[in-house]
Amino acid sequence: MSHSTLRRSALTGALLSILFAPVLAQAQTGEAADAGAQASKPTEIDKVTVTGSRIKRAEIEGPAPVFTITAAQIEKEGFTTVYDALTTLTEAMGTVESDIAWGQHTVNASPLNLRNMGPGRSLLLINGRRVVDYPLPYQGKSNFANYNNIPTAIVERIEVLASGASAIYGSDAVAGVINVILKKEFQGDQVKLRGGTSTRGGRDQMDLSWAGGRSGDNWNVTYSLQWFHREALPAGERPFMDSDFDAPPQSLNPQDRKVGILPSVGIRMFNAGTGQRMMPPAGACDQYNGEFFLQNRRTYNRNANTISNTGWQCGQNAAYQHWTLRNGSDDKSGYVYGNYDFENGLQGWASIGVWSSRGENMTFMPAWSSNGTYRDVGLNADLDLVKRFTPQEIGGAEGGYTHSDELSWDVSAGLRGQFGDRFDWDFSIGRAEYRVDEKFPAIVYADADRYFLGPNRDRLDQSRFWNPISPQDYASISTRGKNRAESWLTSANFIVSGDLFEGWAGPIGFAAQLEAAKQGYRLAPDPNTLGANPKYDQTANIDLGSGSRNHYAAGVEFKIPLLESLTASLAARYDKYDAVSGDAATTYNAGLEWRPFSNLLVRGTYATSFRAPDMHFVYATPSTSVSDQTDYLNCLRAGQQGNCTWDAGFKVEDAEISRQGTPDLKYETGNSWTAGFVWDIAEGLSVSTDYWRIELEDEIDDVGANDVLLDEAYCLTGKTPSGEPRVSAPSGDRCKLQIGRVTRAADPDGAGPLLGQVTEIRTGPINRAARNVEGVDASLKYRLPTQRWGDFTFGLNYTNLLKLETRTDSSEEMQDKRNDEPRSKFRGSVNWQRDKWNATVYADRVGSVPSVRFNGCLPFADGYVPSSDNCLDNDAASPTFGQSTKKYYGRVGPAITWNVSAGYQLTEKARVNVYVSNLFDRVNEDKDPYKKDFAFIADRIFSPVGREFAIEYVLDFN
């Protein structure tokens, strides 16, 4: 990261005073006078718009810290995509769903989590304009911006403001703003060809781009084309994490490991009558190219200290070998930007960007099952069958991949001009759309049942079940399901900025904005997977929903010099969204910049922020399931407080649970503070430190069926099932909402105290949660030019998370969650340039995270693991009953990565670059010592890819 240093000498101050002085009279005195004025006028310092303000300014540094990463820096530090670089931001400390996640629903999308506030609470801008949301909801809940579809070829720089900025940009800017600035007025042409691979195998990649530009007397155009391909990385390429047997020894009970009790299954015939797996035919498990082995399944009874044999099956000794550790992608993008200067002082501009991609991932290979037991007339038994297919049966592992075909485009245009000589104005309109077609492998129930069980679904064809089937036969019982998701955004924006008048200490800067937009989305899951009798299953969650809404906003901003060395910034904004409870969101911020010396800036800000409810939180269509629950209300009405259990008769059987959106959600609201300084210590050496704090109230989160029933009981009785008082009583609005979410049958006792049986519970999102974060950022930038050894540039950035507090409901106290996340993050680089050579060494460090059983209990000798509450063996039948075992406080990490690159200028127009990422090949092979589930490593901070090598050829031509 780099800070633009602050230079304000006495001469600079004088030049700025002249620049800001009123010159309207001089501008109107005729051409001769104007020419004379221009001849005597000092060289002006260009003003620029910096992320975090609409007012153009001469100083890059302002009241809020803004960090910049350039395209050259991304390249030199060895990153292949914009997202790869952004994940190393020290401000991006919060972890997100990884590619390895089970049922990962955003195959080709990559969110960012600034300040641990969640992926949807930071705003992504392209050239200062809001981007369209990714159509599929993150973890099936909320919308977010995709950072994975930004082509690197046309990026000039990325500006990052990691504090609340809703008063400038509106919704979502709770944790900050990331503004990607694309190249404009590019001259000539540049072609880049880059190829690379992982030294451990797999993950081949190729990147080909062409960027160029042309210009005339009053026009210019910039364009780019890019193709980027990166292979998926299956676990089979990493032998240390492709199998159940790769689980760390500490993670499995000793008896489980001793007797080979592992959860894998490949082909299984289970006899429900005998409770035994039936023996496969001789040699059956050996026909699958090593995918399966003959496995004796056993269970261990701790109380009796006995091992039970449950029979035989074709197990998998590498159950996870096809699971993709990193998703693959094939991306194509194009971009054109042009502007034209009219003779009347107007400038018109237009841009179009198109991005097309195919992402691919996989968890387990496709499988067929009997979907529970059936009566087999041939074997005269109740059988439960599972058959997992192998690559040889489905025509290659590619047949098991889920493909996400995505197309997004953005068209915008605008006019720029001036009102007199004081004010600049900019009007723009735009339309953006994003479409995702997700195609997944599926086994068609009816066809597969006929193939394996016959036309009457009552007689297993064992030759087909135990032996490999042909790809042609697999094709006859399978299909590719298709889900579609779409989102769109139409917007118009008008901004005016300039100097209002000369104040007592300088000109009063001003900016105003009007904004109007309409956004929408639609989720269309495969209809064959819906309803009570679907034809086949989804490979991920089923999300339903659609809707659109309008948005209007107006904002104003002022920059007020209070003294020669002290400047205040003020901003306020009004935002109104359809279908949100309450009238509108009004936000404001205030900042101070104090420059006691020409090389020192002391700064601070206070800001309010908000986030409009996600589209999917509002418009999700009901989806239903069935679940047993507890009727707390009838328990309390019966006077059984403290005994609200199923055994006491308060079980609700088979209640229908319906999850849907909530139309009248409130805005999430937040506050943020920053305070710090920037100090140019010496020529080429600057440091900065900033404290930051963000608070969020009315955070939206799903409320489950149990929570609905607890609220219903409290709202109608004022009591809790346990007798413990609630920290905070639910509001009247929440009581009305939750009571209305429960449907009951008629009371069978008429006027009795008990109400009717619960038949339906409607769940969904509500404003219930909160979170507070605070920390410190520090950075250093140093440039050291030498005549003999060349020029050196050093950059360091560090963030320490001082506090992370959350609660999941307003009835709870805030909980300290700092130890649940990385508590610090560091990145640094050293660049060297001499003649035709350049080289960069980059490193980043992500602090440790808890093991999956952090603060848990060590197992006893027989493998029993007691509760982490007290670490006592509470099993009365156990020989160690009442004894205790030690707790462990295991953390995993930190993760430290080194990248190096070197380049050589072959000719005036050609150069070659070499990159090595993860130089020391760190992949956390020691694993999380307590993680017995795939992927066996702390994938929140470690990557399984390992060392990568790439070479690049760059050619410049006109």
Side-chain angles (χ1 to χ4, degrees), residues 269-270 275-280 294-299 308-313:
M269 181 188 294
F270 180 75
Q276 292 286 305
R277 291 168 173 81
M278 300 177 69
M279 173 69 74
L294 186 62
Q295 180 187 27
N296 184 203
R297 292 284 291 180
R298 288 167 285 181
T299 59
S308 300
N309 189 329
T310 62
W312 296 82
Q313 65 180 18

Side-chain angles (χ1 to χ4, degrees), residues 504-532:
W504 58 91
I508 307 299
F510 166 81
Q513 178 185 20
L514 293 174
E515 183 179 341
K518 184 170 186 176
Q519 64 179 142
Y521 88 118
R522 183 175 72 92
L523 303 178
D526 191 320
N528 292 310
T529 65
L530 304 178

